[in-house]
Amino acid sequence: MTITTAVDHAALLRALRAAVRAVRTAPGLDTLAALSSALLAFPTESFRWNLEDGHLRVLKAVQFAEESQHFAVIDHMDDAVTDLTRMQPSWTPAYATVAMADAVQLLARCHDRRADMEEQPFDPWSRAAEAGTRLVAILLRRTDARPADTVMVRTSAEFAARMRAAVASNAVLGASQFAEEMARVWGLFRIGPRRPYRNGGAVEWTRRLGGVSYRFELVEPGWHPDHPHGRVRVFRGDLREPERSVSLTARTSRKVIDRFVSSL
């Protein structure tokens, strides 16, 4: 009987973690619905009050993201920007107002949710705002002269992707924390969410794996004289000396590093 229960618990956690990964990879109504289903599969009747309360909070975060009107505005903005590439620039292009209005509306939402963006550059809303600011600048310039369409479309797609991630971020974080707590309660392997932050010229993030909390440090190129192409170090627990230290080489391009940091 004990073995059956343990297998069921492991299956529930695997399904929840897979649903979380799916939302992180492609935030949207379909993946959020799948995450909700994975959460509802948990046997809440056996939960203590604090677990039941945590479970309810996560479900509410998922529901809030699902019921948000932002996904529709994001899709509308992206379509409006694409439409601009099929039109000749003018002082009053037909779809410029639509694209600009959507972009400004979404950008305002970012600032509403995260007022201290300079202090929290890796917050999902801060990342979305950075891309949104670039898109607004491109749209403003286009009233005088058309920029490269590929840049405009690519920036719009980046803003849209970051906005979707921001809308779903509370649900993703809450579900990840809930999965970690349930793994602890059931005696299974714990995998905590990543928590990135900037420390001078280094990007750092922490994550619990099993019973140990690890701190990872990425020193970007140009910040350390002994590691001109950057360095990655791994710290175990509260130890001051790194468990692993790897110097990056010229083969690790700036684009690869930027893409990795954006994925945190």
Side-chain angles (χ1 to χ4, degrees):
M1 186 66 180
T2 304
I3 294 176
T4 302
T5 303
V7 171
D8 289 343
H9 289 169
L12 287 172
L13 280 175
R14 284 196 300 271
L16 178 55
R17 287 167 177 164
V20 170
R21 287 194 300 272
V23 177
R24 280 182 59 94
T25 303
L29 296 178
D30 291 343
T31 52
L32 284 168
L35 176 58
S36 181
S37 297
L39 286 164
L40 289 171
F42 277 71
T44 55
E45 64 276 0
S46 63
F47 284 178
R48 300 191 307 272
W49 69 268
N50 58 327
L51 289 178
E52 187 174 2
D53 186 55
H55 182 257
L56 182 60
R57 282 198 306 271
V58 180
L59 281 173
K60 286 183 176 179
V62 175
Q63 183 182 11
F64 181 82
E66 285 182 297
E67 295 178 352
S68 168
Q69 298 301 311
H70 295 312
F71 287 115
V73 178
I74 293 167
D75 293 339
H76 192 263
M77 177 212 69
D78 211 19
D79 290 341
V81 170
T82 301
D83 287 341
L84 281 176
T85 64
R86 304 187 183 102
M87 302 178 63
Q88 290 297 320
S90 69
W91 287 108
T92 55
Y95 290 92
T97 301
V98 175
M100 180 64 77
D102 288 345
V104 170
Q105 178 183 344
L106 293 172
L107 189 55
R109 181 58 172 164
C110 294
H111 286 277
D112 286 342
R113 293 299 301 268
R114 176 57 66 186
D116 55 342
M117 291 186 179
E118 292 184 359
E119 298 175 8
Q120 301 287 339
F122 296 120
D123 182 88
W125 294 101
S126 301
R127 287 172 162 169
E130 189 275 329
T133 301
R134 284 189 280 115
L135 177 61
V136 168
I138 291 172
L139 292 173
L140 286 173
R141 287 199 303 270
R142 192 180 185 278
T143 59
D144 292 307
R146 176 187 293 237
D149 285 342
T150 54
V151 175
M152 184 170 64
V153 171
R154 184 171 64 242
T155 306
S156 175
E158 182 181 359
F159 183 32
R162 291 188 182 188
M163 275 300 305
R164 293 187 188 100
V167 172
S169 59
N170 280 348
V172 169
L173 178 60
S176 299
Q177 292 173 331
F178 178 74
E180 180 186 3
E181 178 62 15
M182 291 311 303
R184 184 191 67 80
V185 170
W186 288 337
L188 300 172
F189 190 81
R190 298 165 66 181
I191 303 176
R194 290 177 292 191
R195 306 175 190 277
Y197 54 94
R198 183 170 288 280
N199 184 6
V203 177
E204 299 185 4
W205 64 100
T206 58
R207 192 172 198 184
R208 177 173 290 278
L209 298 172
V212 181
S213 179
Y214 290 90
R215 177 169 62 89
F216 302 85
E217 176 194 77
L218 167 65
V219 176
E220 297 182 274
W223 280 89
H224 198 293
D226 295 334
H227 307 278
H229 303 293
R231 177 183 65 186
V232 175
R233 296 196 295 177
V234 182
F235 298 83
R236 179 185 176 94
D238 296 327
L239 297 178
R240 297 178 63 87
E241 292 298 320
E243 188 171 83
R244 296 283 188 276
S245 181
V246 179
S247 294
L248 302 180
T249 67
R251 289 181 295 178
T252 309
S253 69
R254 180 78 238 188
K255 184 180 294 185
V256 170
I257 293 174
D258 290 342
R259 189 185 304 124
F260 171 75
V261 171
S262 295
S263 71
L264 292 174

